[in-house]
């Protein structure tokens, strides 16, 4: 298995632009999580899905952030419009019901200038 | 109550020494306490985990000590090696289906040779 696949690995964009981050979870995993990592705040949970349905989006910073999971093998996290304070590493992780261990992707490093 | 407090923020240990990282929590509904290891440019990876019905779990040079009454748990790395240099995150999960891991802010460990 290729693990959790995230794209792109790096993204540099100008303030005000739309940014879309992508994630392919491990096949058979029914939970998908989006986390944001910064030096100041560590790993913050943004949103997670179970069987493609959003369960808890209370960590999404504001309306500029949205996430979708149209099918079991793909999820997106979109920021529109982007701001410099959104600069961070965004991780996607997946897990299987009954198995508490998460498998993380390698992350997308987002820089908003 | 949902927080997991981790200390220290950074740690420098000599090769062969013992690295100790501590975490504390408030919510007694937490029932699963994993530690994740993260190398630069990579996503966190599950290192070792414990449930509150045991006081200690050992895997190789890594040991989790758990004190339920004090609501604290710690990671001990025996015979620390330069290859152990990484960021370590403690985490906790509520005993309820469909809940997500809550992470501490991380400890950056440097093992000097």
């Amino acid at each position: 298995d290729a693990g959790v696949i995230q794209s792109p690995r790096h993204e540099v964009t100008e303030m005000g632009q739309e940014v879309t981050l992508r994630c392919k979870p491990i096949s058979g995993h029914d939970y998908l999580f989006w986390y944001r990592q910064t030096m100041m705040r560590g790993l913050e949970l943004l949103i997670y899905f179970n069987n493609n349905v959003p369960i808890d989006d209370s960590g999404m910073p504001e309306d500029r952030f949205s996430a979708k999971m149209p099918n079991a093998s793909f999820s997106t996290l979109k920021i529109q419009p982007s701001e410099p304070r959104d600069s961070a590493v965004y991780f996607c992780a997946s897990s299987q019901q009954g198995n508490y261990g998460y498998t993380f992707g390698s992350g997308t490093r987002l820089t908003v200038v | 109550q949902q927080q997991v407090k981790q200390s220290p923020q950074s740690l420098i240990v000599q090769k062969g020494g013992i690295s100790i990282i501590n975490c504390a929590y408030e919510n007694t509904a937490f029932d699963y306490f994993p530690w994740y290891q993260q190398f630069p440019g990579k996503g966190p990876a599950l290192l070792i985990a414990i449930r509150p019905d045991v006081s200690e779990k050992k895997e190789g040079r890594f040991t989790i000590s758990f004190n339920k009454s004090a609501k604290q748990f710690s990671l001990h790395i025996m015979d620390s090696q330069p290859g152990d240099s990484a960021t370590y995150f403690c985490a906790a999960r509520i005993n309820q289906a469909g809940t997500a891991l809550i992470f501490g802010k991380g400890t950056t460990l440097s093992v000097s040779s």
Side-chain angles (χ1 to χ4, degrees):
Chain A
D1 197 326
V4 175
I5 300 172
Q6 291 186 247
S7 64
R9 287 299 311 276
H10 303 274
E11 177 79 41
V12 180
T13 190
E14 291 187 345
M15 183 173 63
Q17 296 298 305
E18 177 179 294
V19 176
T20 299
L21 312 181
R22 297 172 175 80
C23 175
K24 177 179 169 56
I26 291 175
S27 177
H29 281 193
D30 50 359
Y31 282 89
L32 183 139
F33 307 85
W34 283 100
Y35 282 87
R36 178 172 68 177
Q37 184 177 28
T38 60
M39 288 294 292
M40 289 297 294
R41 302 173 72 91
L43 274 168
E44 297 176 278
L45 175 67
L46 299 177
I47 185 172
Y48 72 97
F49 297 82
N50 177 218
N51 292 322
N52 314 336
V53 176
I55 302 300
D56 184 355
D57 65 354
S58 60
M60 296 286 261
E62 46 198 272
D63 292 346
R64 298 185 297 107
F65 285 68
S66 63
K68 294 182 179 180
M69 192 165 185
N71 56 62
S73 60
F74 185 65
S75 177
T76 60
L77 178 67
K78 185 177 294 185
I79 308 172
Q80 165 65 20
S82 57
E83 296 182 4
R85 60 190 169 125
D86 301 331
S87 298
V89 181
Y90 291 81
F91 286 103
C92 174
S94 69
S95 72
Q96 202 168 28
Q97 175 71 28
N99 181 354
Y100 290 0
Y102 290 8
T103 301
F104 281 80
S106 294
T108 295
R109 180 174 294 278
L110 173 65
T111 303
V112 183
V113 297
Chain B
Q1 268 220 333
Q2 290 292 80
Q3 284 185 328
V4 178
K5 295 183 179 180
Q6 184 171 348
S7 63
Q9 187 174 357
S10 62
L11 182 62
I12 299 174
V13 174
Q14 285 197 335
K15 180 181 175 181
I18 302 173
S19 303
I20 302 174
I21 305 170
N22 301 299
C23 282
Y25 63 96
E26 289 296 324
N27 193 336
T28 55
F30 287 143
D31 79 327
Y32 171 71
F33 303 89
W35 285 89
Y36 281 74
Q37 180 188 55
Q38 183 183 29
F39 293 106
K42 302 292 186 182
L46 179 63
L47 183 63
I48 187 172
I50 197 169
R51 295 187 184 275
D53 53 349
V54 298
S55 60
E56 185 176 281
K57 183 173 182 180
K58 184 176 181 179
E59 290 185 2
R61 296 183 295 107
F62 300 89
T63 299
I64 299 179
S65 296
F66 187 83
N67 186 330
K68 189 174 182 177
S69 60
K71 291 185 281 187
Q72 295 176 348
F73 59 109
S74 60
L75 176 69
H76 292 66
I77 306 174
M78 311 300 288
D79 187 26
S80 299
Q81 299 296 313
D84 297 330
S85 297
T87 299
Y88 293 81
F89 294 93
C90 62
R93 199 191 111 137
I94 292 175
N95 181 20
Q96 179 179 328
T99 58
L101 282 173
I102 298 166
F103 286 86
K105 290 194 174 182
T107 297
T108 301
L109 170 66
S110 295
V111 181
S112 60
S113 53

